[in-house]
Amino acid sequence: MSSYLADIDRTRVPQHVAIVMDGNGRWAKLRGLPRTEGHGAGEEALWDTVKGGVEVGVKWLTVYAFSTENWSRPPSEVRYLMNFNRGLLQRRRDELHSMNVRIRFIGRRDWRVPRSVLREIRIAEELTAANTGMTFTIAFNYGGRV
């Protein structure tokens, strides 16, 4: 156990943390980088957050990852994000499973989401369904507007 973990009052750790993932493109632009670089940096920040949440005992982590409004972005960026999300699931699901994390998705699974992404969502959910540690919920293709 890391020394900083010993200093955390476990009775004050929230049971559920929700994060709106926003600003990756702006982060990259401020650094003179392509927007896609911001998404890569966002993945690393998210992964650190997931690991930290597991370490301190957060039971539920929900991230708002791709809203229905994001479909209005340039087609090349949407295509990148779909490929990025599919790759993220492939890269991280086994690690999350080994950490006893259950992966769940909320949002619309409609015609706009590529079948390959839907397949990776299904695989991740099925692989981790019986896990009893933190539940990692990803809001994907969600929103209040049509």
Side-chain angles (χ1 to χ4, degrees):
M1 178 186 302
S2 300
S3 62
Y4 74 89
L5 291 176
D7 294 334
I8 293 176
D9 179 352
R10 300 296 175 114
T11 66
R12 298 181 62 97
V13 172
Q15 292 294 299
H16 190 173
V17 175
I19 300 169
V20 176
M21 297 194 311
D22 188 28
N24 292 335
R26 287 186 297 278
W27 179 92
K29 184 178 179 182
L30 284 170
R31 288 158 178 77
L33 301 169
R35 289 179 61 84
T36 55
E37 291 294 320
H39 298 302
E43 177 187 351
E44 289 307 312
L46 174 61
W47 185 240
D48 287 346
T49 302
V50 170
K51 289 190 307 187
V54 168
E55 288 177 353
V56 301
V58 171
K59 293 302 294 172
W60 292 81
L61 174 63
T62 301
V63 295
Y64 294 85
F66 186 90
S67 73
T68 53
E69 290 79 21
N70 289 149
W71 291 109
S72 64
R73 291 181 180 206
S76 61
E77 186 175 2
V78 171
R79 194 169 32 259
Y80 172 84
L81 288 169
M82 289 299 121
N83 288 329
F84 181 80
N85 288 325
R86 185 178 63 242
L88 178 84
L89 284 168
Q90 292 169 335
R91 285 189 302 279
R92 300 296 190 182
R93 73 171 163 241
D94 290 334
E95 288 177 90
L96 289 166
H97 183 52
S98 71
M99 294 164 58
N100 195 31
V101 172
R102 179 173 60 152
I103 304 169
R104 298 187 65 210
F105 282 81
I106 55 174
R108 298 177 180 111
R109 298 184 190 197
D110 63 22
W111 58 271
R112 294 181 288 190
V113 181
R115 284 188 304 247
S116 60
V117 174
L118 292 173
R119 183 178 58 248
E120 294 301 330
I121 287 171
R122 182 184 47 76
I123 291 168
E125 287 181 326
E126 288 175 1
L127 175 67
T128 64
N131 291 349
T132 58
M134 183 172 74
T135 297
F136 179 40
T137 304
I138 302 163
F140 178 79
N141 198 25
Y142 69 92
R145 300 180 210 161
V146 177

